[in-house]
Amino acid sequence: MTIKAARREERSASAEALLNATAQLLSEASNIDVSLNEISQRASVNSAMIKYYFGNKEGLLLAVLERDAETAMTALKALSEMDIPAQKKLKIHINGIINAYFRSPYINRLIHYMVESGSPAASKRVAQIFIEPMIEVYRDIVAQGVREGALRDVDPGLLYYCLVGAADHIFHAGYSVPSTLGVARLDDGIKQKYAEMVCDIYLRGLAP
């Protein structure tokens, strides 16, 4: 490996470390108020590198969302193209989105923050990488379900609010878990029971 290539690989590793540190800190926090100093310390990377790689904090947060979106939307698109019934697609998706929020509980909180408080360019980018692709897939799944006689013809945008809201709230309101569920924190078993309950409610509710 040449010296130039080694330096490029080192820079790439530093950028990845910053992204990982940001995701970890956001997962641990109840909001997105994580400082650049905390991020650089967690990543063991000089804070000046944040500006070098991402421009500013907004750029870093957007990069975290773009990385998450690439994984999630690729899987969602593949699901929509599978040759299986629409109801099964919806069940797989509901389980998938709840699993995603369980692993990364900051996602929807960060989406809201970027759309509401970010720059116009950042807000538009978040809509492009997360919201619009999901609604497009919902439109396809609903249309397929209607053809199969398995789903009612519902607005895909309203379905987005219903499913994302249900999937996210238990993690967004994690502070209330000790009072509502009598446990210190959410675990994999509770997450799975919640996913099954949400699937049952929505698949029954969307049936003709």
Side-chain angles (χ1 to χ4, degrees), residues 76 79 86-103 134 137-138 141 151 159-160 162-168 170-171 191-206:
L76 184 58
L79 173 64
Q87 277 194 331
K88 188 170 183 179
K89 289 181 181 180
L90 207 53
K91 185 174 183 179
I92 292 172
H93 171 62
I94 291 171
N95 276 277
I97 195 171
I98 290 176
N99 280 324
Y101 287 158
F102 181 70
R103 291 191 306 269
M134 288 184 73
V137 169
Y138 287 1
I141 291 176
L151 298 176
L159 182 60
Y160 166 84
C162 287
L163 293 184
V164 170
D168 170 67
I170 192 171
F171 306 109
K191 178 264 297 180
Q192 191 55 43
K193 287 175 65 177
Y194 185 64
E196 291 170 1
M197 185 175 186
V198 173
C199 283
D200 184 62
I201 290 171
Y202 278 96
L203 290 177
R204 287 175 184 271
L206 290 169

Side-chain angles (χ1 to χ4, degrees), residues 51-103:
K51 183 176 182 180
Y52 178 78
Y53 291 120
F54 307 105
N56 51 29
K57 184 177 180 180
E58 179 179 88
L60 174 59
L61 296 177
L62 183 58
V64 170
L65 278 180
E66 287 180 327
R67 187 177 67 169
D68 290 331
E70 182 178 3
T71 301
M73 295 305 110
T74 298
L76 184 58
K77 184 64 176 174
L79 173 64
S80 73
E81 295 172 352
M82 291 175 66
D83 186 19
I84 58 176
Q87 277 194 331
K88 188 170 183 179
K89 289 181 181 180
L90 207 53
K91 185 174 183 179
I92 292 172
H93 171 62
I94 291 171
N95 276 277
I97 195 171
I98 290 176
N99 280 324
Y101 287 158
F102 181 70
R103 291 191 306 269

Side-chain angles (χ1 to χ4, degrees), residues 7-48:
R7 287 175 177 170
R8 185 165 57 246
E9 187 173 300
E10 183 180 348
R11 288 196 296 269
S12 177
S14 295
E16 190 68 17
L18 288 167
L19 291 172
N20 290 337
T22 304
Q24 290 168 7
L25 288 166
L26 289 172
S27 294
E28 295 165 7
S30 59
N31 52 50
I32 55 87
D33 190 22
V34 177
S35 72
L36 296 183
N37 188 50
E38 288 177 294
I39 293 169
S40 63
Q41 287 185 356
R42 176 68 65 92
S44 299
V45 175
N46 191 300
S47 59

Side-chain angles (χ1 to χ4, degrees), residues 122-133:
S123 177
K124 182 178 180 180
R125 179 62 179 154
V126 170
Q128 289 173 336
I129 63 176
F130 261 112
I131 301 172
E132 293 172 9

